[in-house]
Amino acid sequence: MLVASFVSIFAMWYIGLIMAFLGMLIISSRYKLVIDPDQMIIDDFLEILKMKSKHKQFRYKKLKYVLINSSRFTQQLNYKSISSNISGMLYSAYLVCDDQKHFLGDSQDLGKLLIKVKSFAEKAGVEVRDHSRVKN
């Protein structure tokens, strides 16, 4: 979007500026989960341009564990007369505390997600439970 904004800024400068601003919003957006172990509070928010949006704060008694689940996905892409299907596995990580689950992240690569989650789990002092390989 940013590249398109630089191209269109010469043709219609106001559209280029709008596209550049929207691109900056997309690039700067991050989901964050911050744990304060001293006050036993979890801050759950979306950060856009370093400002908190959709901020939720939870108190917890005990952090239990990090849970990893898997789900199968299928996506159908259609373009004119050409159609293709994409399918795979999506791995999601959640922090479980008391009776709540907080989303930590997801990835199609279980190895990358495990590296990220294990680092977080060590800092939080909890174990990682991988339910992605459990067969039903």
Side-chain angles (χ1 to χ4, degrees), residues 7 24 33 49 63 66 71 75 86 90 93 98 102 116-117 131 134:
V7 172
M24 290 303 296
L33 184 78
L49 294 175
L63 298 176
V66 173
S71 59
Q75 183 177 13
I86 299 172
L90 182 66
D98 301 334
H102 301 279
K116 180 180 172 183
V117 166
H131 288 207
V134 176

Side-chain angles (χ1 to χ4, degrees), residues 31-46 52 54-66 94-104 120 124 126:
Y31 169 78
K32 287 194 171 186
L33 184 78
V34 179
I35 300 171
D36 183 357
D38 297 330
Q39 296 181 5
M40 300 180 94
I41 293 176
I42 295 176
D43 284 323
D44 193 3
F45 59 91
L46 180 65
K52 292 181 182 179
K54 295 185 179 181
H55 182 258
K56 294 180 184 175
Q57 198 171 59
F58 303 95
R59 289 204 169 275
Y60 67 90
K61 294 177 184 170
K62 182 181 179 190
L63 298 176
K64 293 184 179 178
Y65 52 89
V66 173
Y94 299 91
L95 173 65
V96 179
C97 59
D98 301 334
D99 59 347
Q100 299 174 349
K101 286 198 294 188
H102 301 279
F103 180 73
L104 293 177
F120 173 82
V126 295

Side-chain angles (χ1 to χ4, degrees), residues 74-93:
T74 303
Q75 183 177 13
Q76 185 173 5
L77 305 172
N78 296 319
Y79 180 72
K80 295 185 181 181
S81 64
I82 300 171
S83 177
S84 65
N85 289 326
I86 299 172
S87 62
M89 295 294 288
L90 182 66
Y91 302 97
S92 303

Side-chain angles (χ1 to χ4, degrees), residues 21 25 28-30 32 45-55:
F21 179 71
L25 284 178
S28 70
S29 299
R30 288 188 175 76
K32 287 194 171 186
F45 59 91
L46 180 65
E47 186 178 69
I48 302 172
L49 294 175
K50 300 290 182 187
M51 295 182 296
K52 292 181 182 179
S53 175
K54 295 185 179 181
H55 182 258

Side-chain angles (χ1 to χ4, degrees), residues 5 8-9 12-23:
S5 71
S8 68
I9 203 162
M12 291 179 271
W13 65 271
Y14 52 90
I15 291 179
L17 288 177
I18 291 170
M19 290 176 66
F21 179 71
L22 291 174

